[in-house]
Amino acid sequence: MNDTLSKSAARLLEATAANIDLAGRIIEKNLDSVLSGSSATRDEPYRGATTVEEIFRFDSMKLLRYSGTAPVTCTTPLVLVPSLINRAYIMDLMPSATLAGHLREAGIQVYLLDWGTPGPQHDHLPFRFFVDDLIGMAVREACRDTGAKKASLLGYCMGGTMSLLHAALHPNRIERLIMLAAPVNFHDEGPLSAWARKDAFDVDTLVDVLGHADSAMLQSSFQLIKPFSGYQKWKNVFEGSLDAKAAESIVALESWLNDNVNVPGEAYRGYVKLCYHDNAIRNRRFDFDGIEIDLENLSIPVMNVMASKDHIVPIESSRCLSQLVSGPVTDLVIDAGHIGVVMGRKARGMFESVAKFHSTV
Amino acid sequence: MEALFQEYLKAGRDVQTFWENRIAQAMDEFAKSQTFVNTMTRSLEQSLDVRKMWETNLNRWAETFQVVTKRELDEINRRLYDQNAYLDKITTQLADIAGHVRAQTEAVTSGKTN
């Protein structure tokens, strides 16, 4: 252990010396640019409905603890893992539609892993860094905060796939896994699968040129999945007699939908290649950035929540999970769309099921 | 007359909804088609090529006039980020070592008192 430590320290010193040298050269060339700073490092307020407290921070990644009136009755902490593509506060969008708030009021100590706003300093980080290191830090801090030995993960969309990978890497640290509308089989009937397959999408050129996956590009591709839906949505809003609550809900949802972030380049490359190009997770045994993963070794209880009207992650894309892992899988299909599954009216019953599933640890 | 007019309006709306749904369905299908995928791929490749050419020229210009580029600033940001990651790992390792030492000390101390 001492040897590892001294090696890490030596590497750190070496990196520090190299950085000081590089910084010196850059400052010599142009002082103003260095002093103006990057917009990506600015702090942003949390935009969810429930009160939160920041208990850990690593650069722009934050671990937030939800406050609630109900006493905590469940000793295992639950960490919510959102997608890298969108903002984290969808898990806690409005007081009337908050998964995090509901779980907290059910006596669970809930934490949110907020990825923050990635900047160019994150572009070189591999997908595994997010899956292994950053989720690992969140789990570690949640356990430290509650005094528990293990934590449960609840992942939404891409966050669900990432949680599954993290649980497969560290099954001894995770108590239970809950996946909400999370893709597992990426070669499905949906348009995203057709657009992102190997022969249609050259992710290497994209990342090499831009350095990241641009939020505008991702947003427009999501809109193109159902090209006419934008028109139909606003027509319904115009024609329907909107009450104050519905209007509030639409404003909150639209604000979230248009509040996008760039995805760091190397992580995006890794994700697209692993999932959309190779569809590796479906094979059960696969190589994840040099580590052999066999999903059959994953024996923890899993709850897999799918949405019947999901046009981004079709049901067939998640349903096969029960055939891949060896632990018990509880499948739950609800009548909602991809976003409705996490904040819709029809998702309330599911919130109860998730709370019950987590609390029976 | 009023009833007839209302009926006429309703029929008009029904026809509009019918065609809107048909168009929506056709566009959804088109989004999945090979033609659409090919067009989108070509358009993406072309815009990336333009961006690449622009950046190459910009970098040459920056090199000539010795101006700091965003790429260089990004590089230093990346290195600082990596250092933070190393520091976090070292802190975790130190905390682990401290935990082991504490456990050992407790074991030794309790052994002595017994």
Side-chain angles (χ1 to χ4, degrees):
Chain A
M1 191 174 277
N2 278 336
D3 193 35
T4 328
L5 193 68
S6 58
K7 264 187 200 160
S8 306
R11 211 170 159 195
L12 182 74
L13 282 175
E14 205 177 284
T16 312
N19 279 346
I20 291 169
D21 180 49
L22 181 69
R25 273 189 282 137
I26 286 178
I27 289 168
E28 258 177 39
K29 276 166 88 176
N30 190 335
L31 194 63
D32 287 348
S33 317
V34 178
L35 295 178
S36 63
S38 157
S39 60
T41 50
R42 277 199 301 253
D43 207 8
E44 292 156 347
Y46 176 67
R47 294 182 60 184
T50 314
T51 316
V52 288
E53 193 186 339
E54 183 184 314
I55 63 156
F56 178 74
R57 188 184 185 111
F58 186 79
D59 195 61
S60 62
M61 181 277 255
K62 286 178 269 188
L63 186 68
L64 307 170
R65 180 178 58 205
Y66 285 99
S67 309
T69 48
V72 176
T73 49
C74 179
T75 49
T76 309
L78 176 67
V79 180
L80 309 182
V81 184
S83 164
L84 272 181
I85 295 167
N86 294 106
R87 296 277 182 191
Y89 59 87
I90 185 64
M91 308 275 207
D92 180 33
L93 193 65
M94 295 160 62
S96 55
T98 161
L99 170 65
H102 189 95
L103 294 173
R104 178 61 193 84
E105 290 310 313
I108 301 169
Q109 189 60 271
V110 186
Y111 298 86
L112 177 69
L113 196 173
D114 186 346
W115 300 111
T117 307
Q121 70 272 33
H122 305 111
D123 283 349
H124 70 301
L125 298 169
F127 186 46
R128 198 179 129 199
F129 182 81
F130 291 85
V131 169
D132 193 355
D133 295 49
L134 289 186
I135 298 183
M137 283 179 201
V139 168
R140 181 190 76 201
E141 293 304 317
C143 288
R144 188 179 292 172
D145 193 47
T146 50
K149 287 214 163 101
K150 290 179 176 186
S152 294
L153 289 176
L154 184 153
Y156 171 51
C157 186
M158 180 186 180
T161 314
M162 293 168 81
S163 303
L164 174 70
L165 290 170
H166 184 83
L169 284 171
H170 306 287
N172 52 339
R173 285 191 212 158
I174 307 300
E175 186 74 50
R176 278 169 185 240
L177 175 66
I178 302 151
M179 303 199 12
L180 290 190
V184 176
N185 173 18
F186 287 79
H187 288 180
D188 54 45
E189 292 300 309
L192 277 185
S193 174
W195 299 348
R197 39 166 221 260
K198 215 178 217 166
D199 51 341
F201 180 39
D202 184 2
V203 67
D204 287 324
T205 310
L206 177 83
V207 175
D208 291 346
V209 174
L210 296 183
H212 59 265
D214 203 272
S215 63
M217 194 182 272
L218 293 167
Q219 171 75 344
S220 61
S221 64
F222 283 118
Q223 281 166 351
L224 280 174
I225 293 177
K226 278 189 155 315
F228 215 57
S229 65
Y231 165 76
Q232 286 182 320
K233 178 168 66 185
W234 291 113
K235 182 174 170 266
N236 290 341
V237 169
F238 178 71
E239 285 178 350
S241 54
L242 271 182
D243 56 43
K245 261 191 175 173
E248 192 192 344
S249 166
I250 285 176
V251 169
L253 187 60
E254 285 302 314
S255 310
W256 175 78
L257 277 171
N258 292 297
D259 185 10
N260 304 114
V261 286
N262 296 338
V263 180
E266 290 304 322
Y268 184 71
R269 195 201 306 260
Y271 173 65
V272 169
K273 284 193 172 176
L274 180 83
C275 299
Y276 284 99
H277 286 184
D278 301 337
N279 197 17
I281 302 175
R282 183 70 184 89
N283 300 334
R284 187 184 285 157
R285 272 187 219 149
F286 54 94
D287 179 86
F288 178 44
D289 207 2
I291 297 182
E292 278 294 318
I293 290 186
D294 187 351
L295 287 179
E296 207 163 6
N297 296 335
L298 194 65
S299 55
I300 58 169
V302 180
M303 180 178 235
N304 190 13
V305 183
M306 294 163 273
S308 60
K309 291 179 191 152
D310 197 334
H311 62 290
I312 294 174
V313 182
I315 285 190
E316 305 82 58
S317 178
S318 336
R319 208 194 281 278
C320 59
L321 181 67
S322 55
Q323 300 157 14
L324 302 176
V325 295
S326 59
V329 179
T330 314
D331 281 343
L332 185 66
V333 180
I334 63 166
D335 177 28
H338 189 71
I339 298 162
V341 74
V342 75
M343 55 81 68
R345 214 177 303 128
K346 288 171 185 167
R348 310 283 154 81
M350 179 273 286
F351 292 179
E352 299 285 337
S353 311
V354 168
K356 210 180 276 175
F357 173 79
H358 174 77
S359 302
T360 47
V361 173
Chain B
M1 193 65 184
E2 170 73 17
L4 192 70
F5 185 64
Q6 288 299 336
E7 191 74 10
Y8 177 72
L9 275 183
K10 190 183 168 297
R13 257 189 236 120
D14 284 351
V15 171
Q16 188 191 352
T17 312
F18 171 80
W19 281 110
E20 276 171 4
N21 288 340
R22 280 294 298 275
I23 293 169
Q25 206 181 348
M27 285 178 79
D28 289 356
E29 286 304 313
F30 175 63
K32 274 194 261 184
S33 71
Q34 194 57 48
T35 323
F36 180 81
V37 174
N38 290 348
T39 315
M40 203 159 75
T41 309
R42 212 168 34 242
S43 139
L44 178 67
E45 281 169 358
Q46 279 167 356
S47 53
L48 289 175
D49 284 347
V50 170
R51 168 80 185 234
K52 217 190 282 180
M53 268 162 55
W54 168 256
E55 275 200 354
T56 313
N57 286 329
L58 207 65
N59 281 334
R60 274 188 201 144
W61 178 85
E63 195 56 42
T64 312
F65 294 101
Q66 289 286 293
V67 174
V68 173
T69 58
K70 195 172 159 292
R71 218 168 265 266
E72 285 169 307
L73 289 173
D74 293 349
E75 176 60 28
I76 197 161
N77 266 335
R78 273 196 278 276
R79 290 191 187 192
L80 285 170
Y81 191 91
D82 282 349
Q83 265 190 57
N84 276 330
Y86 289 143
L87 274 175
D88 183 83
K89 277 192 180 153
I90 290 172
T91 316
T92 314
Q93 281 174 346
L94 282 173
D96 281 350
I97 294 170
H100 285 302
V101 170
R102 204 176 301 121
Q104 290 287 328
T105 315
E106 271 168 24
V108 171
T109 322
S110 61
K112 268 184 188 169
T113 47
N114 289 338

